[in-house]
Amino acid sequence: MAFHIKSLIFFSVLIGCICVSQSDYLFNVCGSNGNYTNNSVYKTNLDKAFDNLLFAANTSNSGFYNASFGEESNRVYTLVLCRGDVQPDICRSCVKDSINMLKEQCPHQKEADEWYQECLLRYSNTSILNTLVTEPTRMHSGTVASDKAQFNQDLRDMLDNLKAQAIQQKFATAKQTTQDRTIYGLMQCTPDLSSTQCSNCLDKAIENIPTCCSGRTGGQVLKPSCRLRFEIGPFYDGTPSVDIQTPSAKQPPAGKLRTTFAYFWIDNAICNMFNFFYFLFFCSSWHR
Ligand SMILES: *[C@@H]1O[C@H](CO)[C@@H](O)[C@H](O)[C@H]1NC(C)=O
Ligand SMILES: *[C@@H]1O[C@H](CO)[C@@H](O)[C@H](O)[C@H]1NC(C)=O
Ligand SMILES: *[C@@H]1O[C@H](CO)[C@@H](O)[C@H](O)[C@H]1NC(C)=O
Ligand SMILES: *[C@@H]1O[C@H](CO)[C@@H](O)[C@H](O)[C@H]1NC(C)=O
Ligand SMILES: *[C@@H]1O[C@H](CO)[C@@H](O)[C@H](O)[C@H]1NC(C)=O
């Protein structure tokens, strides 16, 4: 009994630890358009804008927050976008973690962008809302598919369907099942963009796939205005917004089919004997 209680406590603690784990940091890009100093007005304004961003994330569950602070050349613009499937408390943690990390990683740059699996944080001395920004780009990729050509074809089909949905709602997930495999996908644009801007950003992200992830079974393209990811295993929360079931386009060649059939016949001789008798029984009852 004591053992069971101890294991129960152990597992509760373990699960607790997993639940409070830190946000999943990917990378940052410190801007190159100028620096500010420690005691500058710009620094004070940046801290105030970040505070406003935290406050906004604390008080709303929208997952997209913007805040700006200051006057004229010292005005700071910030925004944060959580991945569309991320729960509000995870989003809030990501906003907090990303602000702390970016202050540390880009301590004097007037603008910077930072990506986590769960969110994107940006700040600049120029207005960043309603503006399409497709660079810098960072990419990650998975392992090589065994049937590259077919995989790329399946992937293209999935991305086309997913994009059509994503440009409407600025966030969409997809699950595409063919005879060969299931591919999962996710696309997101910052919600301040128009459908056309979103579409342009996602087109550029799709164009990046051959560079990073040609024939690979997983990949991710991250840009300031949009993100794209695909995997052969589930990686997002919730039911997919696009669920596609497609019979595979390719037919096995006749010769191969016959060989497979022969093996099947030999391997299943006993089973087939039963089937044969069942067949006889079926026919005899049919004739009655
Ligand atoms: C800004 O600071 C970085 C390093 O902190 C330095 O490499 C860069 O040259 C600086 N840029 C300007 C415009 O002073
Ligand atoms: C700015 O502040 C940081 C930490 O507060 C400190 O490490 C750094 O030396 C300061 N830089 C200057 C130029 O004073
Ligand atoms: C956000 O909420 C947390 C916990 O509820 C609190 O500690 C923090 O001070 C809040 N931050 C802001 C900026 O409101
Ligand atoms: C930006 O923030 C302001 C003030 O918090 C808010 O009124 C506005 O709707 C936000 N814009 C977007 C595109 O979210
Ligand atoms: C932003 O900062 C850069 C570098 O200091 C400067 O050249 C540019 O004019 C600033 N932009 C605005 C809108 O103040």
Side-chain angles (χ1 to χ4, degrees):
M1 186 61 186
F3 172 75
H4 287 291
I5 292 171
K6 267 187 207 158
S7 3
L8 199 71
I9 293 169
F10 174 75
F11 281 112
S12 314
V13 170
L14 191 71
I15 289 165
C17 289
I18 292 167
C19 292
V20 297
S21 72
Q22 297 290 299
S23 314
D24 189 357
Y25 171 76
L26 293 172
F27 66 92
N28 68 62
V29 178
C30 302
S32 54
N33 80 335
N35 296 329
Y36 62 83
T37 53
N38 273 355
N39 302 315
S40 60
V41 177
Y42 195 86
K43 161 86 175 141
T44 312
N45 291 347
L46 178 62
D47 288 343
K48 291 257 173 58
F50 278 157
D51 282 348
N52 290 347
L53 210 53
L54 270 173
F55 181 75
N58 260 9
T59 49
S60 146
N61 286 345
S62 78
F64 178 60
Y65 311 101
N66 77 92
S68 37
F69 201 92
E71 302 301 325
E72 293 166 8
S73 66
N74 282 316
R75 189 165 177 85
V76 182
Y77 302 83
T78 64
L79 73 75
V80 67
L81 173 66
C82 286
R83 217 173 75 181
D85 61 322
V86 156
Q87 296 302 313
D89 52 335
I90 309 260
C91 176
R92 274 188 273 281
S93 305
C94 194
V95 176
K96 193 168 105 253
D97 292 345
S98 62
I99 289 174
N100 292 337
M101 178 72 107
L102 201 54
K103 279 181 177 173
E104 203 180 295
Q105 300 280 311
C106 308
H108 295 108
Q109 281 80 1
K110 277 192 163 179
E111 64 178 17
D113 303 328
E114 183 177 54
W115 285 261
Y116 279 73
Q117 283 296 9
E118 299 86 358
C119 69
L120 155 73
L121 171 66
R122 302 181 58 201
Y123 74 83
S124 176
N125 70 334
T126 43
S127 175
I128 45 179
L129 274 185
N130 312 315
T131 311
L132 175 65
V133 184
T134 56
E135 294 298 335
T137 300
R138 285 293 183 281
M139 300 174 283
H140 299 255
S141 59
T143 53
V144 180
S146 50
D147 53 341
K148 276 191 184 186
Q150 183 63 41
F151 182 84
N152 284 340
Q153 181 59 51
D154 291 350
L155 178 63
R156 237 184 330 269
D157 293 346
M158 188 276 289
L159 294 173
D160 284 349
N161 286 308
L162 176 56
K163 194 192 129 193
Q165 187 76 15
I167 60 177
Q168 310 276 326
Q169 296 164 0
K170 309 294 158 60
F171 173 74
T173 54
K175 179 183 176 197
Q176 177 188 261
T177 310
T178 60
Q179 199 181 333
D180 301 316
R181 64 179 74 76
T182 301
I183 311 180
Y184 297 82
L186 179 151
M187 286 181 183
Q188 185 171 28
C189 292
T190 60
D192 55 317
L193 297 185
S194 69
S195 302
T196 311
Q197 288 172 316
C198 179
S199 177
N200 289 343
C201 192
L202 291 173
D203 281 341
K204 290 218 163 65
I206 292 169
E207 280 168 24
N208 289 137
I209 290 179
T211 315
C212 74
C213 343
S214 176
R216 291 181 181 264
T217 57
Q220 176 150 243
V221 181
L222 299 146
K223 294 175 176 293
S225 286
C226 65
R227 67 162 71 200
L228 173 168
R229 185 176 172 189
F230 64 91
E231 303 288 343
I232 49 168
F235 64 92
Y236 51 78
D237 266 358
T239 50
S241 25
V242 186
D243 195 341
I244 316 141
Q245 308 269 341
T246 14
S248 184
K250 70 170 182 206
Q251 295 293 332
K256 195 179 161 202
L257 187 70
R258 221 175 290 125
T259 318
T260 315
F261 218 77
Y263 279 120
F264 181 79
W265 183 260
I266 294 161
D267 283 353
N268 294 281
I270 298 171
C271 181
N272 281 314
M273 233 146 72
F274 276 108
N275 284 342
F276 180 67
F277 286 121
Y278 183 78
F279 177 72
L280 286 184
F281 174 75
F282 180 79
C283 288
S284 58
S285 38
W286 183 259
H287 280 283
R288 246 182 256 158

